[in-house]
Amino acid sequence: MASLTQRDEDLIHVDPSFLTKWNLSVPRYTSYPTAPQFSSMKEETYIEKLKEFDQTAKPLSLYLHIPFCRSMCLFCGCSVILNRNPERQSRYLSYLYKEISLLPFSQKREVTQLHIGGGTPTSLSEEEFDELVDLLQRRFFWNEGAEISIEIDPRTVFADRGRKLRHLKALGFNRVSFGVQDLDAKVQEAVKRRQTEEMTFTTFRLAREIGFQGINLDLIYGLPCQTRASFLNTAQKIAELRPDRIAFFSYAKVPWLKKHQLAISEELLPSDQEKFTIYTDARAIWMQSGYQPIGMDHFSLPEDSLSIAYREKKIMRNFQGYSVCLSSDLIGLGITSIGCVEGTYVQNAKTMAEYEASLDRGALPASRGYVLKEKDRIVRDVIQKLMCHFEIDKREFFVLTQVPFNQYFSASREEIMRLVQEGLIEDFEDRLVATAMGRLMIRVIASVFDEYKTGNYSKAI
Ligand SMILES: C[S@@+](CC[C@H](N)C(=O)[O-])C[C@H]1O[C@@H](n2cnc3c(N)ncnc32)[C@H](O)[C@@H]1O
Ligand code: SF4
């Protein structure tokens, strides 16, 4: 067993007043600027960017959103449509195909990453997957080492004993991410997500047998009825299962956006201090079991490609969390999807009516977005480096901008010095480095460089 470093040991005892002070509402920085800064965007602007991209030989990442779920987990912050009607789903797919066919590319483009997320993508039938993959392959070709991944709710692939999983593997999917959240039955009851250990363990083992790589499990801390003791049990069992990756999300409580979260009674939620201890306990267990912590909320086995990319400083943070950086341009397909092409963020229509209406007019369903200005690109790079590697190399910054780092961010100097005094960062001549505690509050540190900072966000822990 690997032992913890002094820095990690330090994280375990935290003064509650410290948490109260720093547990601020700040963005999760899956983009910069963040989505509240996006404003309405015309289809022409998006088409222009896609055509600009078409002039390059760069590879692409694709994100495809399948919003349907059969039931709603009360904690869910994703973009979901409750649905049990297969016709509604096939109608959505026909619109998705229209969207793909409208991309103005003069040639078949190379894809290095395809991620299908949701909702619950495995609500699609085998025939629907065949059709979707066939269409994608007519428009794009997969790079030899492409990551073709999909989010899977184990409850949807358990009953058929691996049939759909094998089908996905045969179609070229090589990575899977399973939603687990918590193994504890009481917690599951409180969030209305009933998923037995057998469902989780059996589907995980099947995925291993079938040959998927980079298998990820999603877990959440801060859920109702979670206690330090209950989650220790979950964390230990997950460590024994040994997934390649663990995504350990802080429960993002955003009831002003997701009304169903109001059904979770406040009294059942762990206090900030308990939530934090649940996090540090689980972190310690996984690190002692050999996992490498990645960014603020991921863990991966040292031989996994995410760990390798982390050590080589080749990871990025985007709307799917942390991933290996294989291309700088991402096209989002489907309702609410966000992409970034040629330095421009584009979000698709958020309602089905708007999504369909655009495509019925023969227009791509871009609705909001943001064209990055030069300063945005510089700040985005700084925030990415903090979120991914917890430090900024001031010399590298100078080479890039020809302006000394401290001078460029002179307006933030006071705030930076406050973070230094509070023990969240260390400010050296050539580097700015987050401390062990600062790494857990990295969203707060990143927000110091954020030029916009307006909007209502979930708490930092
Ligand atoms: C689209 S879901 C995963 C696929 C599938 N629907 C499932 O639940 O198994 C993506 C992940 O987002 C995470 N998630 C959803 N809502 C969240 C919230 N409010 N706070 C933190 N994480 C959340 C969950 O861990 C979930 O597994
Ligand atoms: S967590 Fe997954 S299954 Fe549950 S509502 Fe959200 S997207 Fe659907």
Side-chain angles (χ1 to χ4, degrees):
M1 242 186 205
S3 65
L4 292 181
T5 65
Q6 183 57 46
R7 282 190 146 203
D8 297 310
E9 292 284 7
D10 287 348
L11 293 179
I12 291 160
H13 312 285
V14 181
D15 180 351
S17 65
F18 187 89
L19 289 179
T20 319
K21 187 157 149 198
W22 290 105
N23 194 13
L24 307 173
S25 292
V26 274
R28 293 168 63 235
Y29 291 112
T30 47
S31 70
Y32 179 82
T34 54
Q37 297 309 316
F38 297 1
S39 55
S40 63
M41 174 170 277
K42 292 205 179 87
E43 192 220 2
E44 295 86 83
T45 315
Y46 187 28
I47 295 271
E48 210 177 281
K49 292 292 160 189
L50 288 168
K51 287 192 169 156
E52 233 174 81
F53 176 80
D54 198 32
Q55 303 303 309
T56 71
K58 290 188 286 184
L60 253 186
S61 289
L62 295 178
Y63 172 75
L64 222 130
H65 193 71
I66 307 289
F68 306 108
C69 290
R70 289 177 71 82
S71 62
M72 183 62 88
C73 310
L74 294 183
F75 60 81
C76 186
C78 304
S79 170
V80 167
I81 296 175
L82 267 182
N83 181 53
R84 290 174 179 227
N85 175 2
E87 276 161 33
R88 197 168 179 204
Q89 193 166 284
S90 59
R91 179 184 165 109
Y92 176 70
L93 286 176
S94 65
Y95 277 95
L96 194 62
Y97 299 159
K98 239 184 199 177
E99 185 185 358
I100 296 169
S101 66
L102 283 172
L103 293 170
F105 293 144
S106 56
Q107 55 192 310
K108 222 170 156 176
R109 299 296 312 218
E110 179 189 5
V111 167
T112 45
Q113 268 162 334
L114 162 67
H115 183 73
I116 305 191
T120 303
T122 38
S123 56
L124 266 56
S125 66
E126 288 179 20
E127 295 70 33
E128 284 172 330
F129 271 117
D130 290 344
E131 216 182 339
L132 174 61
V133 169
D134 179 56
L135 182 80
L136 287 170
Q137 282 178 337
R138 274 187 275 134
R139 299 285 290 161
F140 306 96
F141 66 90
W142 311 147
N143 167 288
E144 217 173 287
E147 292 185 350
I148 315 288
S149 61
I150 182 162
E151 287 170 14
I152 296 183
D153 178 341
R155 296 172 299 173
T156 62
V157 293
F158 174 67
D160 74 9
R161 298 171 189 209
R163 190 189 150 120
K164 198 175 262 181
L165 285 177
R166 270 186 280 274
H167 193 78
L168 290 169
K169 185 75 180 36
L171 282 175
F173 287 86
N174 48 29
R175 289 163 187 277
V176 286
S177 171
F178 292 114
V180 177
Q181 329 309 348
D182 194 321
L183 296 174
D184 191 272
K186 204 168 159 200
V187 176
Q188 292 187 4
E189 205 50 45
V191 296
K192 300 234 177 325
R193 183 189 174 106
R194 295 159 193 113
Q195 180 174 324
T196 61
E197 282 187 17
E198 194 198 350
M199 283 177 184
T200 300
F201 294 175
T202 307
T203 41
F204 172 81
R205 291 190 183 113
L206 273 169
R208 266 264 183 280
E209 259 171 54
I210 293 168
F212 285 103
Q213 300 153 7
I215 303 177
N216 176 75
L217 301 186
D218 287 341
L219 294 158
I220 303 183
Y221 62 101
L223 291 178
C225 298
Q226 258 179 1
T227 63
R228 206 175 164 183
S230 78
F231 203 83
L232 262 175
N233 185 38
T234 291
Q236 250 143 6
K237 285 182 177 162
I238 296 296
E240 282 158 27
L241 201 59
R242 237 170 154 67
D244 305 294
R245 301 176 184 183
I246 300 166
F248 192 33
F249 301 119
S250 165
Y251 169 42
K253 193 171 144 211
V254 286
W256 57 92
L257 292 176
K258 305 287 169 187
K259 295 273 180 280
H260 52 263
Q261 290 185 347
L262 291 169
I264 297 178
S265 153
E266 283 286 324
E267 302 93 72
L268 297 181
L269 292 173
S271 66
D272 283 359
Q273 177 69 24
E274 179 130 28
K275 184 177 177 186
F276 186 72
T277 330
I278 291 169
Y279 174 85
T280 48
D281 281 354
R283 185 177 193 273
I285 286 180
W286 296 329
M287 287 176 69
Q288 281 165 342
S289 309
Y291 283 87
Q292 155 93 63
I294 308 282
M296 63 179 199
D297 50 18
H298 284 45
F299 297 83
S300 51
L301 291 176
E303 61 278 15
D304 183 77
S305 59
L306 190 63
S307 294
I308 297 168
Y310 177 74
R311 293 193 291 272
E312 292 173 354
K313 301 213 165 178
K314 285 184 186 153
I315 62 163
M316 65 176 177
R317 182 162 172 79
N318 64 14
F319 302 99
Q320 282 76 60
Y322 290 97
S323 60
V324 180
C325 184
L326 296 176
S327 58
S328 57
D329 295 83
L330 165 77
I331 291 187
L333 297 161
I335 184 169
T336 71
S337 291
I338 305 181
C340 187
V341 179
E342 293 293 319
T344 297
Y345 287 110
V346 181
Q347 178 162 35
N348 273 353
K350 288 187 185 167
T351 67
M352 202 55 101
E354 288 168 284
Y355 181 70
E356 291 186 358
S358 281
L359 291 161
D360 282 338
R361 287 196 309 273
L364 282 170
S367 83
R368 294 172 66 74
Y370 189 95
V371 184
L372 285 165
K373 302 188 238 343
E374 201 201 326
K375 179 150 193 205
D376 295 327
R377 288 176 194 247
I378 292 169
V379 174
R380 180 172 72 157
D381 193 47
V382 164
I383 289 183
Q384 271 277 340
K385 292 211 162 95
L386 280 171
M387 297 300 291
C388 294
H389 302 293
F390 304 124
E391 68 173 50
I392 297 156
D393 184 328
K394 294 184 183 178
R395 288 163 309 183
E396 208 179 272
F397 182 90
F398 182 75
V399 172
L400 222 71
T401 62
Q402 296 303 304
V403 185
F405 180 85
N406 290 354
Q407 185 183 325
Y408 196 92
F409 291 107
S410 57
S412 310
R413 199 70 208 142
E414 219 172 282
E415 274 184 280
I416 294 174
M417 290 324 291
R418 179 154 177 247
L419 296 181
V420 172
Q421 278 155 18
E422 296 280 345
L424 292 182
I425 49 177
E426 288 172 284
D427 186 25
F428 301 107
E429 203 182 321
D430 59 343
R431 283 176 317 140
L432 195 71
V433 188
T435 60
M437 198 61 210
R439 283 185 276 153
L440 299 189
M441 303 284 179
I442 200 68
R443 291 163 62 178
V444 174
I445 299 176
S447 72
V448 165
F449 300 94
D450 185 342
E451 294 253 290
Y452 307 102
K453 260 190 280 199
T454 52
N456 213 352
Y457 301 98
S458 60
K459 293 280 187 67
I461 295 171

